[in-house]
Amino acid sequence: GLPRKERVTMVESHAPQLEVLAGRLDEVKRYLAIDLKRRTRDELQESSAAPDFWDDPQAAQQTMGEISRLGEDIKDYDAAAKLDDAAAAFELGEEMGDDDLLAEAAESAAALEDELSELELSSWFTGKFDHGDAIVTIKPGQGGLEAQDWCEMLFKMYLRYCDRRNWKVEINDAPAGEAIGLDRATFTVHGKDVFGMLSAEAGVHRLV
């Protein structure tokens, strides 16, 4: 195991990190209005239990969709709000001189930081459609066959990006070009914050 001095240094080096994460978590809680979303979700769930709830199917479906969206935000926040567990693991690992426990705690802190970064990203999207799905169309511009080849490259890049973010993709249209590449590509992407993320990709993409 590590000498005690080295173990103490390791724990102390993570203490500021956990404090910073705690501050960021508080900010995200405020930005995303988590407490309000909990109350709203509970109220909607209570209304969905009414005997006449499904008398208006369209309104009921909208309510259920809102419950689902609120629940997703709350779930993501709760997943990130586990700093106490990481801090306790660091403390226990130091007290017991358990290098494996310290390493596990460090991995947990890193995972929490990744989850928190995703929450912060989500808090930036305030548009009406930002948290919803998107339909993406890629069309070759000037450049003939090379532009069609570039269209296919972009198409594959976006598919891989969607896969990394665990977004579901439906390919609507992707006819082959005259000799290489694609004549165009249209696909629908389903997932959280899809429109907000992909709307920033609109415009001309050049390959140099």
Side-chain angles (χ1 to χ4, degrees):
L2 292 172
R4 178 172 177 79
K5 183 177 180 181
E6 292 180 348
R7 290 202 308 270
V8 172
T9 301
M10 179 182 293
V11 174
E12 289 177 348
S13 68
H14 284 89
Q17 177 191 9
L18 294 176
E19 291 178 2
V20 170
L21 291 178
R24 289 170 58 187
L25 189 64
D26 287 340
E27 287 295 309
V28 166
K29 183 179 182 180
R30 180 170 62 86
Y31 288 148
L32 295 181
I34 295 297
D35 291 338
L36 176 60
K37 287 181 177 180
R38 289 189 196 277
R39 292 196 299 270
T40 303
R41 180 201 59 183
D42 293 343
E43 290 172 358
L44 291 177
Q45 286 179 332
E46 184 176 350
S47 69
S48 68
D52 59 348
F53 177 71
W54 287 100
D55 289 352
D56 186 343
Q58 183 175 358
Q61 288 178 354
Q62 291 178 347
T63 298
M64 296 304 295
E66 182 64 14
I67 291 174
S68 177
R69 285 188 291 271
L70 291 170
E72 189 173 354
D73 284 344
I74 295 168
K75 178 182 177 182
D76 290 343
Y77 174 83
D78 289 343
K82 296 180 180 178
L83 293 175
D84 289 343
D85 293 343
F90 277 122
E91 183 177 355
L92 182 60
E94 193 277 331
E95 291 178 355
M96 298 179 60
D98 190 329
D99 299 341
D100 292 336
L101 185 57
L102 286 171
E104 183 179 342
E107 291 178 1
S108 297
L112 289 174
E113 185 168 12
D114 290 340
E115 292 171 353
L116 183 55
S117 295
E118 286 293 317
L119 281 174
E120 289 172 332
L121 179 63
S122 182
S123 71
W124 296 346
F125 298 128
T126 57
K128 180 178 179 181
F129 304 108
D130 283 349
H131 298 290
D133 301 337
I135 299 174
V136 181
T137 299
I138 306 173
K139 296 182 292 185
Q142 297 178 351
L145 296 180
E146 290 184 354
Q148 291 181 338
D149 191 28
W150 177 222
C151 178
E152 184 176 20
M153 291 181 198
L154 278 173
F155 177 59
K156 291 180 178 179
M157 288 167 61
Y158 282 119
L159 290 185
R160 292 189 183 114
Y161 175 71
C162 293
D163 182 63
R164 287 202 305 271
R165 296 197 64 87
N166 294 317
W167 290 341
K168 180 182 177 181
V169 175
E170 296 177 12
I171 300 175
N172 307 112
D173 190 30
E178 297 178 11
I180 59 175
L182 297 176
D183 184 61
R184 63 185 179 277
T186 300
F187 54 99
T188 302
V189 187
H190 305 276
K192 184 179 180 182
D193 301 331
V194 167
F195 188 85
M197 292 288 288
L198 294 181
S199 60
E201 295 296 310
V204 177
H205 291 58
R206 300 183 184 276
L207 176 63
V208 178

PDB file of all heavy atoms in Angstrom, residues 151-180:
ATOM      1  N   CYS A 151     -20.528  14.372 -48.554  1.00  0.00           N
ATOM      2  CA  CYS A 151     -21.856  14.185 -47.963  1.00  0.00           C
ATOM      3  C   CYS A 151     -21.927  12.855 -47.215  1.00  0.00           C
ATOM      4  O   CYS A 151     -22.429  12.785 -46.097  1.00  0.00           O
ATOM      5  CB  CYS A 151     -22.914  14.245 -49.073  1.00  0.00           C
ATOM      6  SG  CYS A 151     -24.605  13.958 -48.503  1.00  0.00           S
ATOM      7  N   GLU A 152     -21.386  11.810 -47.822  1.00  0.00           N
ATOM      8  CA  GLU A 152     -21.395  10.501 -47.161  1.00  0.00           C
ATOM      9  C   GLU A 152     -20.500  10.497 -45.928  1.00  0.00           C
ATOM     10  O   GLU A 152     -20.829   9.893 -44.899  1.00  0.00           O
ATOM     11  CB  GLU A 152     -20.949   9.408 -48.124  1.00  0.00           C
ATOM     12  CG  GLU A 152     -21.031   8.008 -47.525  1.00  0.00           C
ATOM     13  CD  GLU A 152     -20.676   6.927 -48.512  1.00  0.00           C
ATOM     14  OE1 GLU A 152     -20.010   7.231 -49.529  1.00  0.00           O
ATOM     15  OE2 GLU A 152     -21.065   5.766 -48.284  1.00  0.00           O
ATOM     16  N   MET A 153     -19.350  11.173 -46.016  1.00  0.00           N
ATOM     17  CA  MET A 153     -18.463  11.254 -44.856  1.00  0.00           C
ATOM     18  C   MET A 153     -19.172  11.915 -43.675  1.00  0.00           C
ATOM     19  O   MET A 153     -19.126  11.426 -42.542  1.00  0.00           O
ATOM     20  CB  MET A 153     -17.209  12.065 -45.204  1.00  0.00           C
ATOM     21  CG  MET A 153     -16.262  11.419 -46.175  1.00  0.00           C
ATOM     22  SD  MET A 153     -14.821  12.505 -46.432  1.00  0.00           S
ATOM     23  CE  MET A 153     -14.171  11.833 -47.958  1.00  0.00           C
ATOM     24  N   LEU A 154     -19.828  13.051 -43.954  1.00  0.00           N
ATOM     25  CA  LEU A 154     -20.549  13.747 -42.896  1.00  0.00           C
ATOM     26  C   LEU A 154     -21.654  12.868 -42.320  1.00  0.00           C
ATOM     27  O   LEU A 154     -21.854  12.824 -41.105  1.00  0.00           O
ATOM     28  CB  LEU A 154     -21.152  15.042 -43.429  1.00  0.00           C
ATOM     29  CG  LEU A 154     -20.226  16.254 -43.503  1.00  0.00           C
ATOM     30  CD1 LEU A 154     -20.931  17.408 -44.204  1.00  0.00           C
ATOM     31  CD2 LEU A 154     -19.781  16.685 -42.119  1.00  0.00           C
ATOM     32  N   PHE A 155     -22.368  12.188 -43.190  1.00  0.00           N
ATOM     33  CA  PHE A 155     -23.451  11.309 -42.766  1.00  0.00           C
ATOM     34  C   PHE A 155     -22.941  10.264 -41.783  1.00  0.00           C
ATOM     35  O   PHE A 155     -23.513  10.060 -40.699  1.00  0.00           O
ATOM     36  CB  PHE A 155     -24.069  10.652 -44.000  1.00  0.00           C
ATOM     37  CG  PHE A 155     -25.153   9.657 -43.712  1.00  0.00           C
ATOM     38  CD1 PHE A 155     -26.295  10.031 -43.020  1.00  0.00           C
ATOM     39  CD2 PHE A 155     -25.048   8.342 -44.158  1.00  0.00           C
ATOM     40  CE1 PHE A 155     -27.317   9.119 -42.765  1.00  0.00           C
ATOM     41  CE2 PHE A 155     -26.051   7.432 -43.906  1.00  0.00           C
ATOM     42  CZ  PHE A 155     -27.184   7.817 -43.212  1.00  0.00           C
ATOM     43  N   LYS A 156     -21.827   9.620 -42.109  1.00  0.00           N
ATOM     44  CA  LYS A 156     -21.263   8.597 -41.233  1.00  0.00           C
ATOM     45  C   LYS A 156     -20.758   9.204 -39.934  1.00  0.00           C
ATOM     46  O   LYS A 156     -20.885   8.608 -38.852  1.00  0.00           O
ATOM     47  CB  LYS A 156     -20.136   7.859 -41.949  1.00  0.00           C
ATOM     48  CG  LYS A 156     -20.612   6.981 -43.098  1.00  0.00           C
ATOM     49  CD  LYS A 156     -19.446   6.271 -43.772  1.00  0.00           C
ATOM     50  CE  LYS A 156     -19.931   5.355 -44.888  1.00  0.00           C
ATOM     51  NZ  LYS A 156     -18.790   4.682 -45.574  1.00  0.00           N
ATOM     52  N   MET A 157     -20.182  10.409 -40.024  1.00  0.00           N
ATOM     53  CA  MET A 157     -19.690  11.070 -38.813  1.00  0.00           C
ATOM     54  C   MET A 157     -20.829  11.350 -37.842  1.00  0.00           C
ATOM     55  O   MET A 157     -20.714  11.113 -36.639  1.00  0.00           O
ATOM     56  CB  MET A 157     -18.980  12.364 -39.199  1.00  0.00           C
ATOM     57  CG  MET A 157     -17.628  12.158 -39.865  1.00  0.00           C
ATOM     58  SD  MET A 157     -16.981  13.655 -40.655  1.00  0.00           S
ATOM     59  CE  MET A 157     -16.848  14.752 -39.252  1.00  0.00           C
ATOM     60  N   TYR A 158     -21.947  11.851 -38.379  1.00  0.00           N
ATOM     61  CA  TYR A 158     -23.086  12.167 -37.511  1.00  0.00           C
ATOM     62  C   TYR A 158     -23.709  10.902 -36.929  1.00  0.00           C
ATOM     63  O   TYR A 158     -24.158  10.897 -35.783  1.00  0.00           O
ATOM     64  CB  TYR A 158     -24.133  12.980 -38.268  1.00  0.00           C
ATOM     65  CG  TYR A 158     -23.755  14.438 -38.413  1.00  0.00           C
ATOM     66  CD1 TYR A 158     -23.591  15.012 -39.664  1.00  0.00           C
ATOM     67  CD2 TYR A 158     -23.545  15.236 -37.290  1.00  0.00           C
ATOM     68  CE1 TYR A 158     -23.223  16.344 -39.802  1.00  0.00           C
ATOM     69  CE2 TYR A 158     -23.186  16.564 -37.411  1.00  0.00           C
ATOM     70  CZ  TYR A 158     -23.023  17.109 -38.678  1.00  0.00           C
ATOM     71  OH  TYR A 158     -22.651  18.429 -38.797  1.00  0.00           O
ATOM     72  N   LEU A 159     -23.743   9.839 -37.703  1.00  0.00           N
ATOM     73  CA  LEU A 159     -24.280   8.584 -37.172  1.00  0.00           C
ATOM     74  C   LEU A 159     -23.431   8.081 -36.006  1.00  0.00           C
ATOM     75  O   LEU A 159     -23.966   7.607 -34.999  1.00  0.00           O
ATOM     76  CB  LEU A 159     -24.336   7.524 -38.280  1.00  0.00           C
ATOM     77  CG  LEU A 159     -25.364   7.731 -39.394  1.00  0.00           C
ATOM     78  CD1 LEU A 159     -25.356   6.535 -40.339  1.00  0.00           C
ATOM     79  CD2 LEU A 159     -26.758   7.961 -38.835  1.00  0.00           C
ATOM     80  N   ARG A 160     -22.128   8.197 -36.138  1.00  0.00           N
ATOM     81  CA  ARG A 160     -21.241   7.755 -35.052  1.00  0.00           C
ATOM     82  C   ARG A 160     -21.402   8.655 -33.832  1.00  0.00           C
ATOM     83  O   ARG A 160     -21.369   8.192 -32.687  1.00  0.00           O
ATOM     84  CB  ARG A 160     -19.789   7.740 -35.530  1.00  0.00           C
ATOM     85  CG  ARG A 160     -19.510   6.666 -36.584  1.00  0.00           C
ATOM     86  CD  ARG A 160     -18.022   6.554 -36.863  1.00  0.00           C
ATOM     87  NE  ARG A 160     -17.764   5.578 -37.915  1.00  0.00           N
ATOM     88  CZ  ARG A 160     -17.264   5.857 -39.113  1.00  0.00           C
ATOM     89  NH1 ARG A 160     -16.971   7.110 -39.417  1.00  0.00           N
ATOM     90  NH2 ARG A 160     -17.060   4.928 -40.001  1.00  0.00           N
ATOM     91  N   TYR A 161     -21.549   9.952 -34.088  1.00  0.00           N
ATOM     92  CA  TYR A 161     -21.734  10.883 -32.970  1.00  0.00           C
ATOM     93  C   TYR A 161     -23.024  10.556 -32.217  1.00  0.00           C
ATOM     94  O   TYR A 161     -23.051  10.531 -30.983  1.00  0.00           O
ATOM     95  CB  TYR A 161     -21.787  12.309 -33.509  1.00  0.00           C
ATOM     96  CG  TYR A 161     -22.085  13.355 -32.466  1.00  0.00           C
ATOM     97  CD1 TYR A 161     -21.141  13.694 -31.501  1.00  0.00           C
ATOM     98  CD2 TYR A 161     -23.313  14.021 -32.450  1.00  0.00           C
ATOM     99  CE1 TYR A 161     -21.420  14.659 -30.546  1.00  0.00           C
ATOM    100  CE2 TYR A 161     -23.595  14.982 -31.489  1.00  0.00           C
ATOM    101  CZ  TYR A 161     -22.639  15.302 -30.548  1.00  0.00           C
ATOM    102  OH  TYR A 161     -22.914  16.251 -29.602  1.00  0.00           O
ATOM    103  N   CYS A 162     -24.096  10.307 -32.953  1.00  0.00           N
ATOM    104  CA  CYS A 162     -25.375   9.951 -32.323  1.00  0.00           C
ATOM    105  C   CYS A 162     -25.235   8.659 -31.523  1.00  0.00           C
ATOM    106  O   CYS A 162     -25.813   8.528 -30.436  1.00  0.00           O
ATOM    107  CB  CYS A 162     -26.464   9.801 -33.384  1.00  0.00           C
ATOM    108  SG  CYS A 162     -26.910  11.350 -34.215  1.00  0.00           S
ATOM    109  N   ASP A 163     -24.488   7.724 -32.052  1.00  0.00           N
ATOM    110  CA  ASP A 163     -24.302   6.451 -31.354  1.00  0.00           C
ATOM    111  C   ASP A 163     -23.560   6.662 -30.042  1.00  0.00           C
ATOM    112  O   ASP A 163     -23.907   6.057 -29.015  1.00  0.00           O
ATOM    113  CB  ASP A 163     -23.540   5.484 -32.258  1.00  0.00           C
ATOM    114  CG  ASP A 163     -23.343   4.124 -31.618  1.00  0.00           C
ATOM    115  OD1 ASP A 163     -24.347   3.437 -31.346  1.00  0.00           O
ATOM    116  OD2 ASP A 163     -22.188   3.739 -31.368  1.00  0.00           O
ATOM    117  N   ARG A 164     -22.541   7.531 -30.049  1.00  0.00           N
ATOM    118  CA  ARG A 164     -21.785   7.799 -28.822  1.00  0.00           C
ATOM    119  C   ARG A 164     -22.656   8.456 -27.763  1.00  0.00           C
ATOM    120  O   ARG A 164     -22.458   8.235 -26.569  1.00  0.00           O
ATOM    121  CB  ARG A 164     -20.579   8.700 -29.126  1.00  0.00           C
ATOM    122  CG  ARG A 164     -19.454   8.023 -29.865  1.00  0.00           C
ATOM    123  CD  ARG A 164     -18.140   8.774 -29.666  1.00  0.00           C
ATOM    124  NE  ARG A 164     -18.242  10.169 -30.032  1.00  0.00           N
ATOM    125  CZ  ARG A 164     -18.016  10.648 -31.246  1.00  0.00           C
ATOM    126  NH1 ARG A 164     -17.690   9.813 -32.231  1.00  0.00           N
ATOM    127  NH2 ARG A 164     -18.104  11.940 -31.492  1.00  0.00           N
ATOM    128  N   ARG A 165     -23.630   9.251 -28.183  1.00  0.00           N
ATOM    129  CA  ARG A 165     -24.518   9.917 -27.236  1.00  0.00           C
ATOM    130  C   ARG A 165     -25.760   9.085 -26.930  1.00  0.00           C
ATOM    131  O   ARG A 165     -26.674   9.546 -26.243  1.00  0.00           O
ATOM    132  CB  ARG A 165     -24.944  11.286 -27.774  1.00  0.00           C
ATOM    133  CG  ARG A 165     -23.792  12.263 -27.946  1.00  0.00           C
ATOM    134  CD  ARG A 165     -24.288  13.684 -28.082  1.00  0.00           C
ATOM    135  NE  ARG A 165     -24.961  14.138 -26.876  1.00  0.00           N
ATOM    136  CZ  ARG A 165     -24.341  14.687 -25.834  1.00  0.00           C
ATOM    137  NH1 ARG A 165     -23.028  14.840 -25.852  1.00  0.00           N
ATOM    138  NH2 ARG A 165     -25.024  15.078 -24.772  1.00  0.00           N
ATOM    139  N   ASN A 166     -25.801   7.858 -27.446  1.00  0.00           N
ATOM    140  CA  ASN A 166     -26.923   6.941 -27.210  1.00  0.00           C
ATOM    141  C   ASN A 166     -28.239   7.509 -27.728  1.00  0.00           C
ATOM    142  O   ASN A 166     -29.307   7.291 -27.123  1.00  0.00           O
ATOM    143  CB  ASN A 166     -27.037   6.607 -25.716  1.00  0.00           C
ATOM    144  CG  ASN A 166     -25.855   5.819 -25.204  1.00  0.00           C
ATOM    145  OD1 ASN A 166     -25.383   4.895 -25.867  1.00  0.00           O
ATOM    146  ND2 ASN A 166     -25.368   6.175 -24.024  1.00  0.00           N
ATOM    147  N   TRP A 167     -28.175   8.237 -28.836  1.00  0.00           N
ATOM    148  CA  TRP A 167     -29.383   8.721 -29.495  1.00  0.00           C
ATOM    149  C   TRP A 167     -29.852   7.689 -30.518  1.00  0.00           C
ATOM    150  O   TRP A 167     -29.036   7.038 -31.174  1.00  0.00           O
ATOM    151  CB  TRP A 167     -29.103  10.036 -30.220  1.00  0.00           C
ATOM    152  CG  TRP A 167     -28.871  11.213 -29.316  1.00  0.00           C
ATOM    153  CD1 TRP A 167     -29.227  11.332 -28.016  1.00  0.00           C
ATOM    154  CD2 TRP A 167     -28.220  12.432 -29.666  1.00  0.00           C
ATOM    155  NE1 TRP A 167     -28.862  12.564 -27.522  1.00  0.00           N
ATOM    156  CE2 TRP A 167     -28.237  13.256 -28.505  1.00  0.00           C
ATOM    157  CE3 TRP A 167     -27.633  12.921 -30.832  1.00  0.00           C
ATOM    158  CZ2 TRP A 167     -27.683  14.533 -28.503  1.00  0.00           C
ATOM    159  CZ3 TRP A 167     -27.089  14.192 -30.829  1.00  0.00           C
ATOM    160  CH2 TRP A 167     -27.112  14.992 -29.674  1.00  0.00           C
ATOM    161  N   LYS A 168     -31.143   7.555 -30.642  1.00  0.00           N
ATOM    162  CA  LYS A 168     -31.715   6.629 -31.615  1.00  0.00           C
ATOM    163  C   LYS A 168     -31.855   7.338 -32.959  1.00  0.00           C
ATOM    164  O   LYS A 168     -32.329   8.474 -33.026  1.00  0.00           O
ATOM    165  CB  LYS A 168     -33.084   6.134 -31.142  1.00  0.00           C
ATOM    166  CG  LYS A 168     -33.755   5.167 -32.109  1.00  0.00           C
ATOM    167  CD  LYS A 168     -35.132   4.758 -31.604  1.00  0.00           C
ATOM    168  CE  LYS A 168     -35.822   3.849 -32.611  1.00  0.00           C
ATOM    169  NZ  LYS A 168     -37.191   3.464 -32.150  1.00  0.00           N
ATOM    170  N   VAL A 169     -31.446   6.676 -34.039  1.00  0.00           N
ATOM    171  CA  VAL A 169     -31.471   7.276 -35.373  1.00  0.00           C
ATOM    172  C   VAL A 169     -32.343   6.449 -36.308  1.00  0.00           C
ATOM    173  O   VAL A 169     -32.245   5.220 -36.341  1.00  0.00           O
ATOM    174  CB  VAL A 169     -30.048   7.378 -35.958  1.00  0.00           C
ATOM    175  CG1 VAL A 169     -30.097   7.891 -37.400  1.00  0.00           C
ATOM    176  CG2 VAL A 169     -29.180   8.286 -35.104  1.00  0.00           C
ATOM    177  N   GLU A 170     -33.187   7.148 -37.048  1.00  0.00           N
ATOM    178  CA  GLU A 170     -33.969   6.528 -38.124  1.00  0.00           C
ATOM    179  C   GLU A 170     -33.523   7.163 -39.443  1.00  0.00           C
ATOM    180  O   GLU A 170     -33.633   8.377 -39.617  1.00  0.00           O
ATOM    181  CB  GLU A 170     -35.463   6.758 -37.913  1.00  0.00           C
ATOM    182  CG  GLU A 170     -36.032   6.110 -36.666  1.00  0.00           C
ATOM    183  CD  GLU A 170     -37.503   6.434 -36.489  1.00  0.00           C
ATOM    184  OE1 GLU A 170     -38.108   6.955 -37.453  1.00  0.00           O
ATOM    185  OE2 GLU A 170     -38.039   6.194 -35.398  1.00  0.00           O
ATOM    186  N   ILE A 171     -33.008   6.352 -40.361  1.00  0.00           N
ATOM    187  CA  ILE A 171     -32.573   6.861 -41.655  1.00  0.00           C
ATOM    188  C   ILE A 171     -33.786   6.940 -42.574  1.00  0.00           C
ATOM    189  O   ILE A 171     -34.389   5.927 -42.928  1.00  0.00           O
ATOM    190  CB  ILE A 171     -31.487   5.956 -42.261  1.00  0.00           C
ATOM    191  CG1 ILE A 171     -30.276   5.902 -41.330  1.00  0.00           C
ATOM    192  CG2 ILE A 171     -31.081   6.473 -43.645  1.00  0.00           C
ATOM    193  CD1 ILE A 171     -29.190   4.941 -41.778  1.00  0.00           C
ATOM    194  N   ASN A 172     -34.158   8.149 -42.954  1.00  0.00           N
ATOM    195  CA  ASN A 172     -35.334   8.360 -43.788  1.00  0.00           C
ATOM    196  C   ASN A 172     -35.032   8.231 -45.282  1.00  0.00           C
ATOM    197  O   ASN A 172     -35.838   7.715 -46.039  1.00  0.00           O
ATOM    198  CB  ASN A 172     -35.927   9.746 -43.507  1.00  0.00           C
ATOM    199  CG  ASN A 172     -36.191   9.989 -42.036  1.00  0.00           C
ATOM    200  OD1 ASN A 172     -35.541  10.816 -41.400  1.00  0.00           O
ATOM    201  ND2 ASN A 172     -37.125   9.236 -41.462  1.00  0.00           N
ATOM    202  N   ASP A 173     -33.847   8.732 -45.673  1.00  0.00           N
ATOM    203  CA  ASP A 173     -33.512   8.744 -47.099  1.00  0.00           C
ATOM    204  C   ASP A 173     -32.010   8.938 -47.245  1.00  0.00           C
ATOM    205  O   ASP A 173     -31.441   9.860 -46.665  1.00  0.00           O
ATOM    206  CB  ASP A 173     -34.259   9.884 -47.793  1.00  0.00           C
ATOM    207  CG  ASP A 173     -34.163   9.818 -49.303  1.00  0.00           C
ATOM    208  OD1 ASP A 173     -34.049   8.696 -49.829  1.00  0.00           O
ATOM    209  OD2 ASP A 173     -34.186  10.882 -49.952  1.00  0.00           O
ATOM    210  N   ALA A 174     -31.362   8.072 -48.027  1.00  0.00           N
ATOM    211  CA  ALA A 174     -29.926   8.200 -48.251  1.00  0.00           C
ATOM    212  C   ALA A 174     -29.545   7.540 -49.566  1.00  0.00           C
ATOM    213  O   ALA A 174     -28.807   6.550 -49.609  1.00  0.00           O
ATOM    214  CB  ALA A 174     -29.140   7.590 -47.089  1.00  0.00           C
ATOM    215  N   PRO A 175     -30.038   8.086 -50.714  1.00  0.00           N
ATOM    216  CA  PRO A 175     -29.732   7.483 -52.022  1.00  0.00           C
ATOM    217  C   PRO A 175     -28.270   7.690 -52.409  1.00  0.00           C
ATOM    218  O   PRO A 175     -27.658   8.724 -52.091  1.00  0.00           O
ATOM    219  CB  PRO A 175     -30.665   8.237 -52.970  1.00  0.00           C
ATOM    220  CG  PRO A 175     -30.915   9.548 -52.301  1.00  0.00           C
ATOM    221  CD  PRO A 175     -30.912   9.255 -50.830  1.00  0.00           C
ATOM    222  N   ALA A 176     -27.712   6.694 -53.081  1.00  0.00           N
ATOM    223  CA  ALA A 176     -26.317   6.754 -53.497  1.00  0.00           C
ATOM    224  C   ALA A 176     -26.115   7.808 -54.573  1.00  0.00           C
ATOM    225  O   ALA A 176     -27.040   8.144 -55.333  1.00  0.00           O
ATOM    226  CB  ALA A 176     -25.874   5.392 -53.998  1.00  0.00           C
ATOM    227  N   GLY A 177     -24.902   8.355 -54.638  1.00  0.00           N
ATOM    228  CA  GLY A 177     -24.554   9.315 -55.668  1.00  0.00           C
ATOM    229  C   GLY A 177     -24.321   8.630 -57.003  1.00  0.00           C
ATOM    230  O   GLY A 177     -24.463   7.415 -57.138  1.00  0.00           O
ATOM    231  N   GLU A 178     -23.924   9.407 -57.987  1.00  0.00           N
ATOM    232  CA  GLU A 178     -23.733   8.875 -59.342  1.00  0.00           C
ATOM    233  C   GLU A 178     -22.651   7.800 -59.383  1.00  0.00           C
ATOM    234  O   GLU A 178     -22.817   6.761 -60.028  1.00  0.00           O
ATOM    235  CB  GLU A 178     -23.360  10.013 -60.292  1.00  0.00           C
ATOM    236  CG  GLU A 178     -24.449  11.066 -60.446  1.00  0.00           C
ATOM    237  CD  GLU A 178     -24.015  12.195 -61.358  1.00  0.00           C
ATOM    238  OE1 GLU A 178     -22.968  12.039 -62.025  1.00  0.00           O
ATOM    239  OE2 GLU A 178     -24.707  13.218 -61.407  1.00  0.00           O
ATOM    240  N   ALA A 179     -21.535   8.065 -58.704  1.00  0.00           N
ATOM    241  CA  ALA A 179     -20.437   7.104 -58.713  1.00  0.00           C
ATOM    242  C   ALA A 179     -19.937   6.817 -57.308  1.00  0.00           C
ATOM    243  O   ALA A 179     -19.646   5.665 -56.968  1.00  0.00           O
ATOM    244  CB  ALA A 179     -19.289   7.619 -59.587  1.00  0.00           C
ATOM    245  N   ILE A 180     -19.838   7.836 -56.496  1.00  0.00           N
ATOM    246  CA  ILE A 180     -19.390   7.679 -55.122  1.00  0.00           C
ATOM    247  C   ILE A 180     -20.261   8.527 -54.210  1.00  0.00           C
ATOM    248  O   ILE A 180     -20.980   9.426 -54.657  1.00  0.00           O
ATOM    249  CB  ILE A 180     -17.907   8.096 -54.941  1.00  0.00           C
ATOM    250  CG1 ILE A 180     -17.727   9.564 -55.344  1.00  0.00           C
ATOM    251  CG2 ILE A 180     -16.981   7.177 -55.714  1.00  0.00           C
ATOM    252  CD1 ILE A 180     -16.333  10.096 -55.074  1.00  0.00           C
TER     253      ILE A 180
END
